Amino acid sequence: MARYIFVTGGVVSSLGKGLTTAALGVLLQARGYKVRLRKFDPYLNVDPGTMSPYQHGEVYVTDDGAETDLDLGHYERFTGVPARKTDTVTSGRVYSDVLTRERRGDYLGGTVQVIPHVTDVIKQYIQGDTGDADFVLCEVGGTVGDIEGLPFFEAMRQLVQELPHRHAILIHHTLVPYLAAAGELKTKPTQHSVKELRSIGLQPDILVCRCEHEIPDGELRKIAQFCNVRESAVIPALDVDTIYQVPISYHDAGLDREVLQAFGVTDQSGPNLGTWRQIVKGVRNPDGEVTIAVVGKYTGLADAYKSLSEALTHGGISNQVRVNLKWIDSEIFEREDAVTHLEGVHGILVPGGFGERGAEGKIAAVNYARERQIPYFGICFGMQMAVIETARNLAGISGASSTEFGPCEKAIVGLMTEWTKGNEVETRSQDSDLGGTMRLGAYDCDLVPGSRVGSIYGSGRISERHRHRYEVNIGYKDSLEDNGMVFAGLSPDGVLPEIVERTDHPWFVGVQFHPELKSKPFAPHPLFASFVAAAVTQSRLV
Ligand code: GLN
């Protein structure tokens, strides 16, 4: 039977609960256990798919097509366990399930209430589809005391009671601030946060205390006493220079030992963290550096491109170089010459994106990369813009554009109205809902023999994750190929262009999918490894 680890937070948000969850997953795996990692988000959106990246950071997409919180990306990058639809749920989804049941008459005339109906659904999500996991780690978004979070905390409280003894534990995150004027660390916010938890019937087993300074033993003892937690279970969490150090630091601080102890599990053998030590060593001691310009729209918020920046770091790991990212808001190229901003960079990447704003700037960046022979990587929207650039500037199709920006003369990129998923045909129209209706999740793609991507992947058929509503119009294949842009990857039915590459360029690849979602520090994605390698070559030229 699976054991449950609930991960919560208090005092402030952004304490790194997601990273703790991912790192603890690694530590348990490294001791030989099977894990599943889950995220429970209290907001009322059914999923984050329709939320602005500025509000919520990137939307992480799973193989089975769920649009999820970016923490699921951390989980998967750290543990390698593919996240699934069932690993994420929001209050919006829970209430929508409850209301559907109510309309169906499932409650047989009873009054529908938060306890037990809403909490029952939450408990079903927590305990559903756990497979053969030894430990299920469930992170609850937000902080204790948030009004939307209450049903989740109540469901946890009930489960702690209902499961056999020592089958569920609670790890609570708090902040231990340093007051410079007083020259002191303050434990009171931690005490208050735990008081808040206890007032709703939850006693933490382990406290993770984020702090910018070493926490002296006396303060750790004080926290333990006031919060009714064993002293060894107060785990200090200091900032680290690379996130790949987090599992190692948590192990050194005793987190995995305390978790097992709280479950009453005796495990003498420590975790094998050799791979992680190797990764950290590589990141700390690069043999050179390259600069990649990321030309996008949400460049003001690093979380908006989380998987992407991670995948580029992984590309650096596989080439033993540091990858510096130069974030550029594409709108700037609509006012200023690209040279001013792109001169000297070793690679240009246009990531996924939506909407017309900044699109012309992205096309200008593609043009610069193509003409100057700078390695270019276009992801999803970045591929679509690359195709429009070739159509306009080489194939002489001056009105080439995407219908995403409104009706256009030459729809090189158009709305996907029909595609096959397994044995089923999915259909969409202009009037379809926005939420959950894109071409989402893993789809196969066949690579053209002899293509650059064929040799990068070393395989003829690949599977990658998608999140798009528009497609490159296959009808333009011949005129684009006549102008050096080869369709190097297609959906198995040959209908949807998945990859384009240029034959007259050192490294120019556009992909309709999101390879960044599958890259791991211990298994860098081949496209990112190859793109960074091309940037290294470029850096030796300039
Ligand atoms: N907006 C484009 C589409 O829906 C690209 C999406 C993306 O980059 N993820 O097709």
Side-chain angles (χ1 to χ4, degrees):
M1 182 183 196
R3 291 179 158 88
Y4 294 86
I5 301 171
F6 297 114
V7 181
T8 59
V11 186
V12 292
S13 57
S14 305
L15 288 178
K17 296 186 300 262
L19 268 181
T20 305
T21 311
L24 180 57
V26 166
L27 293 175
L28 292 169
Q29 267 185 334
R31 285 175 177 267
Y33 296 107
K34 292 206 173 65
V35 293
R36 283 216 76 76
L37 286 77
R38 305 198 143 157
K39 179 78 193 278
F40 294 83
D41 272 312
Y43 51 72
L44 287 171
N45 304 63
V46 172
D47 61 41
T50 53
M51 288 163 91
S52 157
Y54 277 127
Q55 288 264 323
H56 198 261
E58 103 178 342
V59 173
Y60 188 77
V61 180
T62 59
D63 275 331
D64 59 4
E67 295 177 282
T68 75
D69 184 82
L70 56 76
D71 275 320
L72 270 82
H74 287 312
Y75 305 163
E76 197 173 320
R77 273 191 292 279
F78 272 64
T79 63
V81 177
R84 294 209 289 257
K85 231 175 213 159
T86 47
D87 292 328
T88 173
V89 73
T90 66
S91 290
R93 164 81 60 209
V94 170
Y95 281 104
S96 140
D97 281 9
V98 169
L99 295 177
T100 307
R101 289 177 200 197
E102 188 274 337
R103 292 289 83 182
R104 254 191 342 233
D106 289 3
Y107 297 115
L108 306 174
T111 308
V112 182
Q113 296 180 292
V114 172
I115 306 171
H117 303 105
V118 170
T119 49
D120 277 354
V121 172
I122 295 174
K123 286 191 288 183
Q124 282 160 15
Y125 273 109
I126 292 174
Q127 295 181 282
D129 191 28
T130 54
D132 57 355
D134 300 303
F135 292 100
V136 180
L137 289 76
C138 303
E139 178 193 347
V140 181
T143 46
V144 58
D146 293 347
I147 195 160
E148 290 97 346
L150 279 170
F152 289 94
F153 284 89
E154 169 58 17
M156 286 178 334
R157 189 198 63 73
Q158 292 175 20
L159 265 184
V160 172
Q161 293 309 314
E162 290 165 15
L163 288 166
H165 183 51
R166 287 184 150 172
H167 269 68
I169 66 163
L170 175 57
I171 302 178
H172 187 58
H173 284 66
T174 70
L175 177 70
V176 178
Y178 177 74
L179 287 193
E184 280 178 18
L185 291 174
K186 291 293 176 191
T187 65
K188 195 65 96 186
T190 299
Q191 296 175 36
H192 277 297
S193 181
V194 172
K195 204 167 154 196
E196 179 89 41
L197 263 184
R198 292 168 72 182
S199 74
I200 50 174
L202 285 165
Q203 165 65 46
D205 296 278
I206 294 170
L207 287 176
V208 169
C209 299
R210 279 303 298 273
C211 191
E212 287 172 353
H213 295 264
E214 201 81 43
I215 309 178
D217 285 348
E219 300 303 300
L220 292 175
R221 202 167 308 129
K222 189 169 159 190
I223 293 172
Q225 271 173 353
F226 277 94
C227 300
N228 195 27
V229 171
R230 289 145 46 96
E231 196 181 322
S232 58
V234 183
I235 308 287
L238 305 184
D239 292 344
V240 285
D241 57 340
T242 152
I243 57 168
Y244 307 125
Q245 170 65 26
V246 175
I248 300 168
S249 293
Y250 271 137
H251 172 65
D252 293 344
L255 179 63
D256 46 325
R257 182 197 63 217
E258 287 302 318
V259 165
L260 293 179
Q261 216 155 75
F263 282 115
V265 174
T266 34
D267 181 349
Q268 304 303 345
S269 62
N272 178 357
L273 294 174
T275 313
W276 291 88
R277 292 190 203 284
Q278 236 5 75
I279 292 168
V280 170
K281 200 166 146 211
V283 170
R284 285 186 181 151
N285 305 291
D287 189 12
E289 55 188 330
V290 293
T291 301
I292 306 286
V294 180
V295 182
K297 180 148 117 187
Y298 313 106
T299 48
L301 182 75
D303 271 359
Y305 299 110
K306 194 73 209 160
S307 297
L308 180 75
S309 53
E310 287 295 308
L312 285 163
T313 303
H314 305 161
I317 292 174
S318 75
N319 288 282
Q320 289 101 45
V321 293
R322 186 195 311 281
V323 177
N324 301 316
L325 300 183
K326 185 171 179 183
W327 299 99
I328 301 176
D329 181 342
S330 61
E331 275 186 295
I332 203 138
F333 299 136
E334 291 163 21
R335 298 187 298 272
E336 295 169 25
D337 194 4
V339 185
T340 346
H341 300 275
L342 293 174
E343 186 98 74
V345 302
H346 310 120
I348 297 172
L349 190 151
V350 175
F354 292 84
E356 188 169 17
R357 187 164 63 78
E360 290 302 325
K362 293 176 188 175
I363 294 169
V366 177
N367 179 259
Y368 181 93
R370 181 177 59 75
E371 289 186 344
R372 304 254 180 153
Q373 302 270 296
I374 314 281
Y376 176 78
F377 196 1
I379 294 183
C380 204
F381 199 72
M383 162 180 167
Q384 297 174 355
M385 296 308 105
V387 172
I388 292 175
E389 196 277 331
T390 287
R392 280 189 196 168
N393 299 329
L394 293 177
I397 309 170
S398 60
S401 190
S402 167
T403 56
E404 183 168 0
F405 314 147
C408 64
E409 210 182 300
K410 297 278 180 201
I412 299 289
V413 180
L415 182 74
M416 253 181 309
T417 49
E418 205 173 285
W419 67 90
T420 44
K421 180 166 199 171
N423 295 326
E424 312 221 327
V425 176
E426 298 264 343
T427 46
R428 298 286 186 275
S429 74
Q430 286 287 0
D431 305 325
S432 298
D433 279 355
L434 278 188
T437 56
M438 282 188 257
R439 181 171 178 248
L440 289 166
Y443 283 87
D444 285 345
C445 159
D446 286 341
L447 305 180
V448 169
S451 60
R452 177 193 297 274
V453 284
S455 68
I456 293 174
Y457 276 98
S459 137
R461 174 166 287 191
I462 56 164
S463 168
E464 292 281 5
R465 295 183 194 170
H466 295 69
R467 182 173 185 248
H468 64 127
R469 210 182 294 286
Y470 296 84
E471 59 172 319
V472 172
N473 186 338
I474 190 90
Y476 289 95
K477 184 170 185 278
D478 289 346
S479 55
L480 291 162
E481 291 200 330
D482 287 346
N483 288 284
M485 180 167 265
V486 172
F487 283 44
L490 293 167
S491 56
D493 58 9
V495 175
L496 295 176
E498 292 273 15
I499 306 178
V500 294
E501 61 184 43
R502 293 204 63 87
T503 45
D504 56 358
H505 192 284
W507 208 99
F508 190 109
V509 176
V511 295
Q512 187 56 76
F513 44 80
H514 291 273
E516 71 274 23
L517 301 177
K518 286 179 48 165
S519 188
K520 322 263 182 330
F522 46 85
H525 191 286
L527 284 175
F528 283 90
S530 174
F531 175 56
V532 173
V536 172
T537 309
Q538 175 69 19
S539 73
R540 299 204 174 115
L541 298 177
V542 289

